[in-house]
Amino acid sequence: MSSFKDVVGHKNIIKYIESAVQADAVSQAYILNGERGSGKKLLANLFAMSLQCQDRDENGEACGKCQSCKQALHGNQPDIIRVSHEKPTTISVDDIRQQVNNDIVIKPYSSKYKIYIIPEADLMSVQAQNALLKTIEEPPEYAVVMLLTENAEVLLPTIRSRCVMMKLRNIKDQLVKKYLMEQMEIPDYKADVCVAFAQGNMGKAIMLANSDYFNEIKEEVVHLLRNIDEMDVPELMDAVKKCMTYKLEINDYLDMMAIWYRDVLIYKATKNVDRVVFSDQLRYIKARASKSSYEGIEKILEALETAKARMKANVNFELVIELLLLTIKEN
């Protein structure tokens, strides 16, 4: 992806970036704040490419064809530096000193700007943040620092006050679905499930659409809920054991169940098939809606929320699933 035109959503941020680039009114420090998969890295890369482009258009958009753009697209533009860290949970003071502070005094190699992109900036230790603070308080005029974070609140107030904050919002479900169907050729019923799970996060929606394991969980949940009425106790216990194989992804498993029963509730209340996420299972959704009472469906949804809470509290996994499946079967 080499153009802001290709980005789905985030139009306000893109408009701001293009205006800043066009007017040559670029700040020297930015925070891009949003959950994992929201598009922080993509926007930072496009921003950096636009700043360094040798032939950008009148709107501030990178051409994608000049030497700088080609280097940026291949990740080897010498004046776009991506800060890395060896420790998985910490960006140390040495990481910042070696890759930013000691390097920033050297003028750009071939561009107007020297840009530092720091992914997972919320992992910076307090010492690392203080080291960075000294740099962004009085940076060289050619320097631009971009902090990418899932939780800007953990950054020091003194750093936040010196940065332009860009908050990445959730993307509308219709836009996410359209992208999955048109660009990735995902069938509508599968796109609906991915969209329901992603909750406006395009990166997560794409990941789910490409995930064989996610599809495996979906098929397992569908099979269980379609057949649970006919299961006797031994079969139910076998189902509990089968659920155990998804222990690491149990929240996804339970969320999938919840989406199924919300579909049942919505169809029962409205008869509106357009709002059903599991549209490829409509026959079974209708059948369940006719069998279950409103009270029964509500009990199941409450049981699912209780199960998730108990999982977080590390209550006996097998017992929680057993009680949940018994509640589903009884209602």
Side-chain angles (χ1 to χ4, degrees):
M1 188 176 288
S2 60
S3 169
F4 284 120
K5 296 183 182 71
D6 300 323
V7 177
V8 179
H10 308 309
K11 296 307 177 188
N12 290 339
I13 291 177
I14 291 171
K15 184 177 181 180
Y16 170 83
I17 291 173
E18 290 179 335
S19 297
V21 174
Q22 184 183 11
D24 197 23
V26 178
S27 177
Q28 294 192 295
Y30 294 88
I31 294 173
L32 282 79
N33 187 53
E35 63 185 30
R36 185 179 297 275
S38 60
K40 300 185 296 294
K41 190 176 295 184
L42 172 63
L43 288 172
N45 288 341
L46 290 175
F47 190 3
M49 189 165 74
S50 293
L51 286 173
Q52 307 293 45
C53 178
Q54 297 158 347
D55 189 28
R56 60 177 175 254
D57 67 22
E58 59 183 13
N59 295 323
E61 185 93 42
C63 71
K65 299 176 182 178
C66 67
Q67 182 184 9
S68 176
C69 284
K70 289 178 180 177
Q71 289 176 323
L73 288 168
H74 288 92
N76 57 12
Q77 215 282 7
D79 295 316
I80 300 176
I81 297 96
R82 293 170 177 82
V83 175
S84 60
H85 54 101
E86 290 185 6
K87 295 178 181 179
T89 59
T90 308
I91 299 176
S92 71
V93 64
D94 288 338
D95 292 326
I96 295 300
R97 284 173 178 162
Q98 292 169 12
Q99 297 177 63
V100 182
N101 296 5
N102 296 345
D103 183 82
I104 209 166
V105 295
I106 304 170
K107 291 183 178 180
Y109 175 75
S110 60
S111 310
K112 179 178 180 178
Y113 298 99
K114 199 164 189 182
I115 301 168
Y116 296 83
I117 299 175
I118 307 179
E120 302 179 300
D122 39 338
L123 297 183
M124 285 190 293
S125 66
V126 173
Q127 294 85 350
Q129 292 187 56
N130 280 319
L132 181 66
L133 180 61
K134 293 177 182 177
T135 293
I136 62 176
E137 282 179 329
E138 297 181 6
E141 62 179 10
Y142 52 75
V144 178
V145 178
M146 300 183 190
L147 307 176
L148 315 187
T149 173
E150 293 182 42
N151 183 11
E153 293 303 311
V154 305
L155 298 176
L156 294 174
T158 44
I159 285 186
R160 297 201 305 271
S161 67
R162 286 166 174 76
C163 297
V164 173
M165 178 74 72
M166 299 183 189
K167 294 183 179 180
L168 280 70
R169 309 294 183 185
N170 288 344
I171 300 170
K172 291 181 179 178
D173 286 350
Q174 307 95 291
L175 295 177
V176 178
K177 182 178 178 180
K178 182 179 180 183
Y179 181 89
L180 294 180
M181 293 181 65
E182 293 183 0
Q183 302 300 319
M184 299 180 65
E185 299 182 347
I186 302 298
D188 59 350
Y189 65 86
K190 182 177 177 182
D192 281 334
V193 178
C194 294
V195 167
F197 260 74
Q199 296 183 343
N201 185 316
M202 179 63 82
K204 186 174 182 179
I206 292 170
M207 182 273 290
L208 294 174
N210 286 324
S211 171
D212 290 335
Y213 199 61
F214 180 73
N215 291 330
E216 181 184 324
I217 292 175
K218 173 180 175 290
E219 293 306 316
E220 185 60 38
V221 168
V222 167
H223 176 76
L224 172 63
L225 297 183
R226 274 169 42 174
N227 297 288
I228 195 166
D229 283 350
E230 285 72 44
M231 289 181 177
D232 56 23
V233 173
E235 288 174 321
L236 208 58
M237 293 305 101
D238 286 341
V240 171
K241 291 176 183 176
K242 193 78 177 285
C243 290
M244 295 286 284
T245 63
Y246 298 102
K247 186 172 182 178
L248 294 178
E249 294 79 21
I250 193 60
N251 279 342
D252 286 345
Y253 196 96
L254 297 178
D255 283 343
M256 194 82 74
M257 285 183 167
I259 290 171
W260 172 283
Y261 278 101
R262 287 192 192 105
D263 278 353
V264 172
L265 185 60
I266 286 169
Y267 180 77
K268 187 175 184 67
T270 68
K271 299 297 187 290
N272 185 349
V273 298
D274 293 333
R275 295 177 61 192
V276 172
V277 172
F278 281 100
S279 55
D280 61 325
Q281 301 294 320
L282 194 55
R283 179 161 65 97
Y284 299 97
I285 296 292
K286 288 180 177 180
R288 170 52 62 191
S290 67
K291 290 179 182 177
S292 296
S293 65
Y294 286 110
E295 183 184 10
I297 299 168
E298 291 289 356
K299 281 183 179 179
I300 291 171
L301 290 171
E302 288 172 6
L304 283 162
E305 289 303 314
T306 300
K308 288 176 68 174
R310 287 175 175 170
M311 292 298 180
K312 287 182 181 178
N314 292 317
V315 178
N316 183 285
F317 180 92
E318 191 168 352
L319 178 60
V320 170
I321 295 298
E322 182 179 334
L323 292 172
L324 173 63
L325 295 188
L326 286 170
T327 300
I328 291 173
K329 187 171 174 61
E330 290 170 359
N331 291 280

PDB file of all heavy atoms in Angstrom, residues 279-306:
ATOM      1  N   SER A 279     -25.231 -15.634   8.874  1.00  0.00           N
ATOM      2  CA  SER A 279     -26.269 -15.723   7.838  1.00  0.00           C
ATOM      3  C   SER A 279     -26.235 -17.052   7.101  1.00  0.00           C
ATOM      4  O   SER A 279     -27.255 -17.499   6.572  1.00  0.00           O
ATOM      5  CB  SER A 279     -26.117 -14.575   6.844  1.00  0.00           C
ATOM      6  OG  SER A 279     -24.815 -14.529   6.297  1.00  0.00           O
ATOM      7  N   ASP A 280     -25.063 -17.709   7.079  1.00  0.00           N
ATOM      8  CA  ASP A 280     -24.984 -19.011   6.413  1.00  0.00           C
ATOM      9  C   ASP A 280     -25.611 -20.117   7.267  1.00  0.00           C
ATOM     10  O   ASP A 280     -25.778 -21.249   6.793  1.00  0.00           O
ATOM     11  CB  ASP A 280     -23.528 -19.368   6.082  1.00  0.00           C
ATOM     12  CG  ASP A 280     -22.641 -19.469   7.315  1.00  0.00           C
ATOM     13  OD1 ASP A 280     -22.867 -18.696   8.274  1.00  0.00           O
ATOM     14  OD2 ASP A 280     -21.715 -20.300   7.315  1.00  0.00           O
ATOM     15  N   GLN A 281     -25.973 -19.786   8.504  1.00  0.00           N
ATOM     16  CA  GLN A 281     -26.600 -20.758   9.409  1.00  0.00           C
ATOM     17  C   GLN A 281     -28.037 -20.358   9.745  1.00  0.00           C
ATOM     18  O   GLN A 281     -28.566 -20.724  10.792  1.00  0.00           O
ATOM     19  CB  GLN A 281     -25.776 -20.852  10.705  1.00  0.00           C
ATOM     20  CG  GLN A 281     -24.332 -21.270  10.512  1.00  0.00           C
ATOM     21  CD  GLN A 281     -24.219 -22.694   9.991  1.00  0.00           C
ATOM     22  OE1 GLN A 281     -24.959 -23.580  10.409  1.00  0.00           O
ATOM     23  NE2 GLN A 281     -23.296 -22.917   9.067  1.00  0.00           N
ATOM     24  N   LEU A 282     -28.654 -19.621   8.846  1.00  0.00           N
ATOM     25  CA  LEU A 282     -29.947 -19.016   9.128  1.00  0.00           C
ATOM     26  C   LEU A 282     -31.019 -20.044   9.502  1.00  0.00           C
ATOM     27  O   LEU A 282     -31.838 -19.819  10.396  1.00  0.00           O
ATOM     28  CB  LEU A 282     -30.408 -18.192   7.928  1.00  0.00           C
ATOM     29  CG  LEU A 282     -31.576 -17.239   8.162  1.00  0.00           C
ATOM     30  CD1 LEU A 282     -31.296 -16.291   9.317  1.00  0.00           C
ATOM     31  CD2 LEU A 282     -31.878 -16.460   6.885  1.00  0.00           C
ATOM     32  N   ARG A 283     -30.991 -21.188   8.838  1.00  0.00           N
ATOM     33  CA  ARG A 283     -31.995 -22.219   9.123  1.00  0.00           C
ATOM     34  C   ARG A 283     -31.918 -22.663  10.587  1.00  0.00           C
ATOM     35  O   ARG A 283     -32.933 -22.852  11.263  1.00  0.00           O
ATOM     36  CB  ARG A 283     -31.786 -23.423   8.194  1.00  0.00           C
ATOM     37  CG  ARG A 283     -32.764 -24.572   8.428  1.00  0.00           C
ATOM     38  CD  ARG A 283     -32.798 -25.470   7.206  1.00  0.00           C
ATOM     39  NE  ARG A 283     -31.536 -26.144   6.978  1.00  0.00           N
ATOM     40  CZ  ARG A 283     -31.262 -27.398   7.377  1.00  0.00           C
ATOM     41  NH1 ARG A 283     -32.160 -28.069   8.062  1.00  0.00           N
ATOM     42  NH2 ARG A 283     -30.112 -27.957   7.105  1.00  0.00           N
ATOM     43  N   TYR A 284     -30.693 -22.804  11.088  1.00  0.00           N
ATOM     44  CA  TYR A 284     -30.511 -23.264  12.469  1.00  0.00           C
ATOM     45  C   TYR A 284     -30.783 -22.137  13.466  1.00  0.00           C
ATOM     46  O   TYR A 284     -31.268 -22.385  14.573  1.00  0.00           O
ATOM     47  CB  TYR A 284     -29.084 -23.807  12.644  1.00  0.00           C
ATOM     48  CG  TYR A 284     -28.808 -24.978  11.736  1.00  0.00           C
ATOM     49  CD1 TYR A 284     -28.157 -24.786  10.516  1.00  0.00           C
ATOM     50  CD2 TYR A 284     -29.217 -26.265  12.074  1.00  0.00           C
ATOM     51  CE1 TYR A 284     -27.910 -25.848   9.671  1.00  0.00           C
ATOM     52  CE2 TYR A 284     -28.977 -27.336  11.230  1.00  0.00           C
ATOM     53  CZ  TYR A 284     -28.325 -27.123  10.027  1.00  0.00           C
ATOM     54  OH  TYR A 284     -28.097 -28.180   9.176  1.00  0.00           O
ATOM     55  N   ILE A 285     -30.470 -20.900  13.070  1.00  0.00           N
ATOM     56  CA  ILE A 285     -30.773 -19.746  13.914  1.00  0.00           C
ATOM     57  C   ILE A 285     -32.290 -19.636  14.107  1.00  0.00           C
ATOM     58  O   ILE A 285     -32.791 -19.424  15.220  1.00  0.00           O
ATOM     59  CB  ILE A 285     -30.224 -18.451  13.291  1.00  0.00           C
ATOM     60  CG1 ILE A 285     -28.684 -18.486  13.200  1.00  0.00           C
ATOM     61  CG2 ILE A 285     -30.710 -17.221  14.050  1.00  0.00           C
ATOM     62  CD1 ILE A 285     -27.955 -18.442  14.498  1.00  0.00           C
ATOM     63  N   LYS A 286     -33.029 -19.785  13.005  1.00  0.00           N
ATOM     64  CA  LYS A 286     -34.495 -19.710  13.074  1.00  0.00           C
ATOM     65  C   LYS A 286     -35.048 -20.831  13.958  1.00  0.00           C
ATOM     66  O   LYS A 286     -35.963 -20.609  14.775  1.00  0.00           O
ATOM     67  CB  LYS A 286     -35.092 -19.819  11.672  1.00  0.00           C
ATOM     68  CG  LYS A 286     -34.881 -18.595  10.808  1.00  0.00           C
ATOM     69  CD  LYS A 286     -35.511 -18.811   9.427  1.00  0.00           C
ATOM     70  CE  LYS A 286     -35.382 -17.586   8.544  1.00  0.00           C
ATOM     71  NZ  LYS A 286     -35.980 -17.791   7.210  1.00  0.00           N
ATOM     72  N   ALA A 287     -34.496 -22.040  13.799  1.00  0.00           N
ATOM     73  CA  ALA A 287     -34.976 -23.177  14.579  1.00  0.00           C
ATOM     74  C   ALA A 287     -34.745 -22.951  16.073  1.00  0.00           C
ATOM     75  O   ALA A 287     -35.620 -23.218  16.901  1.00  0.00           O
ATOM     76  CB  ALA A 287     -34.284 -24.455  14.119  1.00  0.00           C
ATOM     77  N   ARG A 288     -33.560 -22.434  16.410  1.00  0.00           N
ATOM     78  CA  ARG A 288     -33.258 -22.172  17.814  1.00  0.00           C
ATOM     79  C   ARG A 288     -34.160 -21.062  18.363  1.00  0.00           C
ATOM     80  O   ARG A 288     -34.648 -21.134  19.496  1.00  0.00           O
ATOM     81  CB  ARG A 288     -31.783 -21.775  17.967  1.00  0.00           C
ATOM     82  CG  ARG A 288     -31.369 -21.256  19.328  1.00  0.00           C
ATOM     83  CD  ARG A 288     -31.746 -22.155  20.460  1.00  0.00           C
ATOM     84  NE  ARG A 288     -31.117 -23.461  20.376  1.00  0.00           N
ATOM     85  CZ  ARG A 288     -31.444 -24.498  21.137  1.00  0.00           C
ATOM     86  NH1 ARG A 288     -32.420 -24.375  22.029  1.00  0.00           N
ATOM     87  NH2 ARG A 288     -30.821 -25.641  21.018  1.00  0.00           N
ATOM     88  N   ALA A 289     -34.414 -20.045  17.555  1.00  0.00           N
ATOM     89  CA  ALA A 289     -35.278 -18.935  17.985  1.00  0.00           C
ATOM     90  C   ALA A 289     -36.692 -19.415  18.297  1.00  0.00           C
ATOM     91  O   ALA A 289     -37.332 -18.921  19.228  1.00  0.00           O
ATOM     92  CB  ALA A 289     -35.308 -17.850  16.910  1.00  0.00           C
ATOM     93  N   SER A 290     -37.171 -20.399  17.526  1.00  0.00           N
ATOM     94  CA  SER A 290     -38.528 -20.911  17.759  1.00  0.00           C
ATOM     95  C   SER A 290     -38.600 -21.802  18.994  1.00  0.00           C
ATOM     96  O   SER A 290     -39.641 -21.893  19.647  1.00  0.00           O
ATOM     97  CB  SER A 290     -39.010 -21.688  16.529  1.00  0.00           C
ATOM     98  OG  SER A 290     -38.256 -22.873  16.353  1.00  0.00           O
ATOM     99  N   LYS A 291     -37.490 -22.439  19.351  1.00  0.00           N
ATOM    100  CA  LYS A 291     -37.482 -23.356  20.496  1.00  0.00           C
ATOM    101  C   LYS A 291     -37.250 -22.635  21.830  1.00  0.00           C
ATOM    102  O   LYS A 291     -37.769 -23.043  22.859  1.00  0.00           O
ATOM    103  CB  LYS A 291     -36.381 -24.411  20.318  1.00  0.00           C
ATOM    104  CG  LYS A 291     -36.647 -25.418  19.212  1.00  0.00           C
ATOM    105  CD  LYS A 291     -35.471 -26.385  19.117  1.00  0.00           C
ATOM    106  CE  LYS A 291     -35.653 -27.395  17.993  1.00  0.00           C
ATOM    107  NZ  LYS A 291     -34.486 -28.297  17.856  1.00  0.00           N
ATOM    108  N   SER A 292     -36.412 -21.599  21.793  1.00  0.00           N
ATOM    109  CA  SER A 292     -35.979 -20.961  23.046  1.00  0.00           C
ATOM    110  C   SER A 292     -36.844 -19.757  23.385  1.00  0.00           C
ATOM    111  O   SER A 292     -37.298 -19.021  22.503  1.00  0.00           O
ATOM    112  CB  SER A 292     -34.516 -20.505  22.928  1.00  0.00           C
ATOM    113  OG  SER A 292     -33.658 -21.607  22.764  1.00  0.00           O
ATOM    114  N   SER A 293     -37.045 -19.552  24.672  1.00  0.00           N
ATOM    115  CA  SER A 293     -37.773 -18.368  25.140  1.00  0.00           C
ATOM    116  C   SER A 293     -36.793 -17.203  25.250  1.00  0.00           C
ATOM    117  O   SER A 293     -35.575 -17.386  25.278  1.00  0.00           O
ATOM    118  CB  SER A 293     -38.382 -18.646  26.504  1.00  0.00           C
ATOM    119  OG  SER A 293     -37.356 -18.838  27.477  1.00  0.00           O
ATOM    120  N   TYR A 294     -37.351 -15.981  25.331  1.00  0.00           N
ATOM    121  CA  TYR A 294     -36.491 -14.814  25.543  1.00  0.00           C
ATOM    122  C   TYR A 294     -35.690 -14.977  26.832  1.00  0.00           C
ATOM    123  O   TYR A 294     -34.494 -14.683  26.888  1.00  0.00           O
ATOM    124  CB  TYR A 294     -37.342 -13.539  25.626  1.00  0.00           C
ATOM    125  CG  TYR A 294     -37.886 -13.083  24.295  1.00  0.00           C
ATOM    126  CD1 TYR A 294     -39.247 -13.169  24.010  1.00  0.00           C
ATOM    127  CD2 TYR A 294     -37.043 -12.550  23.313  1.00  0.00           C
ATOM    128  CE1 TYR A 294     -39.756 -12.740  22.795  1.00  0.00           C
ATOM    129  CE2 TYR A 294     -37.548 -12.122  22.095  1.00  0.00           C
ATOM    130  CZ  TYR A 294     -38.902 -12.213  21.834  1.00  0.00           C
ATOM    131  OH  TYR A 294     -39.393 -11.788  20.634  1.00  0.00           O
ATOM    132  N   GLU A 295     -36.362 -15.473  27.863  1.00  0.00           N
ATOM    133  CA  GLU A 295     -35.695 -15.665  29.149  1.00  0.00           C
ATOM    134  C   GLU A 295     -34.551 -16.670  29.027  1.00  0.00           C
ATOM    135  O   GLU A 295     -33.471 -16.469  29.581  1.00  0.00           O
ATOM    136  CB  GLU A 295     -36.706 -16.154  30.190  1.00  0.00           C
ATOM    137  CG  GLU A 295     -36.108 -16.301  31.581  1.00  0.00           C
ATOM    138  CD  GLU A 295     -37.099 -16.874  32.587  1.00  0.00           C
ATOM    139  OE1 GLU A 295     -38.183 -17.335  32.156  1.00  0.00           O
ATOM    140  OE2 GLU A 295     -36.784 -16.857  33.785  1.00  0.00           O
ATOM    141  N   GLY A 296     -34.789 -17.744  28.263  1.00  0.00           N
ATOM    142  CA  GLY A 296     -33.757 -18.763  28.089  1.00  0.00           C
ATOM    143  C   GLY A 296     -32.531 -18.224  27.354  1.00  0.00           C
ATOM    144  O   GLY A 296     -31.389 -18.505  27.733  1.00  0.00           O
ATOM    145  N   ILE A 297     -32.768 -17.438  26.306  1.00  0.00           N
ATOM    146  CA  ILE A 297     -31.648 -16.866  25.549  1.00  0.00           C
ATOM    147  C   ILE A 297     -30.860 -15.897  26.417  1.00  0.00           C
ATOM    148  O   ILE A 297     -29.624 -15.880  26.398  1.00  0.00           O
ATOM    149  CB  ILE A 297     -32.163 -16.163  24.273  1.00  0.00           C
ATOM    150  CG1 ILE A 297     -32.892 -17.160  23.360  1.00  0.00           C
ATOM    151  CG2 ILE A 297     -31.004 -15.528  23.502  1.00  0.00           C
ATOM    152  CD1 ILE A 297     -33.668 -16.521  22.235  1.00  0.00           C
ATOM    153  N   GLU A 298     -31.570 -15.088  27.194  1.00  0.00           N
ATOM    154  CA  GLU A 298     -30.896 -14.152  28.100  1.00  0.00           C
ATOM    155  C   GLU A 298     -30.052 -14.893  29.127  1.00  0.00           C
ATOM    156  O   GLU A 298     -28.940 -14.470  29.463  1.00  0.00           O
ATOM    157  CB  GLU A 298     -31.925 -13.262  28.812  1.00  0.00           C
ATOM    158  CG  GLU A 298     -32.626 -12.257  27.915  1.00  0.00           C
ATOM    159  CD  GLU A 298     -31.714 -11.128  27.451  1.00  0.00           C
ATOM    160  OE1 GLU A 298     -30.544 -11.084  27.891  1.00  0.00           O
ATOM    161  OE2 GLU A 298     -32.169 -10.308  26.635  1.00  0.00           O
ATOM    162  N   LYS A 299     -30.571 -16.022  29.634  1.00  0.00           N
ATOM    163  CA  LYS A 299     -29.801 -16.824  30.592  1.00  0.00           C
ATOM    164  C   LYS A 299     -28.509 -17.338  29.969  1.00  0.00           C
ATOM    165  O   LYS A 299     -27.455 -17.354  30.604  1.00  0.00           O
ATOM    166  CB  LYS A 299     -30.645 -18.018  31.070  1.00  0.00           C
ATOM    167  CG  LYS A 299     -31.671 -17.670  32.132  1.00  0.00           C
ATOM    168  CD  LYS A 299     -32.401 -18.931  32.592  1.00  0.00           C
ATOM    169  CE  LYS A 299     -33.424 -18.610  33.671  1.00  0.00           C
ATOM    170  NZ  LYS A 299     -34.159 -19.825  34.106  1.00  0.00           N
ATOM    171  N   ILE A 300     -28.598 -17.756  28.702  1.00  0.00           N
ATOM    172  CA  ILE A 300     -27.404 -18.259  28.012  1.00  0.00           C
ATOM    173  C   ILE A 300     -26.376 -17.144  27.830  1.00  0.00           C
ATOM    174  O   ILE A 300     -25.180 -17.333  28.089  1.00  0.00           O
ATOM    175  CB  ILE A 300     -27.787 -18.875  26.648  1.00  0.00           C
ATOM    176  CG1 ILE A 300     -28.583 -20.162  26.857  1.00  0.00           C
ATOM    177  CG2 ILE A 300     -26.536 -19.156  25.809  1.00  0.00           C
ATOM    178  CD1 ILE A 300     -29.202 -20.725  25.586  1.00  0.00           C
ATOM    179  N   LEU A 301     -26.824 -15.977  27.402  1.00  0.00           N
ATOM    180  CA  LEU A 301     -25.903 -14.852  27.218  1.00  0.00           C
ATOM    181  C   LEU A 301     -25.273 -14.437  28.548  1.00  0.00           C
ATOM    182  O   LEU A 301     -24.072 -14.127  28.608  1.00  0.00           O
ATOM    183  CB  LEU A 301     -26.643 -13.669  26.580  1.00  0.00           C
ATOM    184  CG  LEU A 301     -27.046 -13.875  25.110  1.00  0.00           C
ATOM    185  CD1 LEU A 301     -27.967 -12.752  24.639  1.00  0.00           C
ATOM    186  CD2 LEU A 301     -25.807 -13.935  24.211  1.00  0.00           C
ATOM    187  N   GLU A 302     -26.055 -14.459  29.620  1.00  0.00           N
ATOM    188  CA  GLU A 302     -25.506 -14.158  30.942  1.00  0.00           C
ATOM    189  C   GLU A 302     -24.495 -15.217  31.364  1.00  0.00           C
ATOM    190  O   GLU A 302     -23.457 -14.901  31.958  1.00  0.00           O
ATOM    191  CB  GLU A 302     -26.636 -14.075  31.971  1.00  0.00           C
ATOM    192  CG  GLU A 302     -27.508 -12.835  31.832  1.00  0.00           C
ATOM    193  CD  GLU A 302     -28.731 -12.877  32.743  1.00  0.00           C
ATOM    194  OE1 GLU A 302     -28.819 -13.834  33.556  1.00  0.00           O
ATOM    195  OE2 GLU A 302     -29.590 -11.977  32.640  1.00  0.00           O
ATOM    196  N   ALA A 303     -24.798 -16.485  31.051  1.00  0.00           N
ATOM    197  CA  ALA A 303     -23.882 -17.579  31.394  1.00  0.00           C
ATOM    198  C   ALA A 303     -22.563 -17.442  30.640  1.00  0.00           C
ATOM    199  O   ALA A 303     -21.492 -17.750  31.180  1.00  0.00           O
ATOM    200  CB  ALA A 303     -24.538 -18.924  31.077  1.00  0.00           C
ATOM    201  N   LEU A 304     -22.625 -16.973  29.410  1.00  0.00           N
ATOM    202  CA  LEU A 304     -21.406 -16.762  28.616  1.00  0.00           C
ATOM    203  C   LEU A 304     -20.549 -15.662  29.233  1.00  0.00           C
ATOM    204  O   LEU A 304     -19.324 -15.798  29.331  1.00  0.00           O
ATOM    205  CB  LEU A 304     -21.776 -16.411  27.175  1.00  0.00           C
ATOM    206  CG  LEU A 304     -22.222 -17.591  26.308  1.00  0.00           C
ATOM    207  CD1 LEU A 304     -22.973 -17.115  25.068  1.00  0.00           C
ATOM    208  CD2 LEU A 304     -21.019 -18.441  25.900  1.00  0.00           C
ATOM    209  N   GLU A 305     -21.168 -14.567  29.672  1.00  0.00           N
ATOM    210  CA  GLU A 305     -20.423 -13.489  30.325  1.00  0.00           C
ATOM    211  C   GLU A 305     -19.820 -13.965  31.643  1.00  0.00           C
ATOM    212  O   GLU A 305     -18.682 -13.633  31.973  1.00  0.00           O
ATOM    213  CB  GLU A 305     -21.335 -12.281  30.564  1.00  0.00           C
ATOM    214  CG  GLU A 305     -21.712 -11.527  29.310  1.00  0.00           C
ATOM    215  CD  GLU A 305     -20.497 -11.026  28.542  1.00  0.00           C
ATOM    216  OE1 GLU A 305     -19.581 -10.459  29.183  1.00  0.00           O
ATOM    217  OE2 GLU A 305     -20.447 -11.217  27.312  1.00  0.00           O
ATOM    218  N   THR A 306     -20.592 -14.766  32.383  1.00  0.00           N
ATOM    219  CA  THR A 306     -20.084 -15.316  33.646  1.00  0.00           C
ATOM    220  C   THR A 306     -18.898 -16.228  33.401  1.00  0.00           C
ATOM    221  O   THR A 306     -17.900 -16.188  34.133  1.00  0.00           O
ATOM    222  CB  THR A 306     -21.202 -16.098  34.372  1.00  0.00           C
ATOM    223  OG1 THR A 306     -22.292 -15.220  34.646  1.00  0.00           O
ATOM    224  CG2 THR A 306     -20.690 -16.700  35.676  1.00  0.00           C
TER     225      THR A 306
END
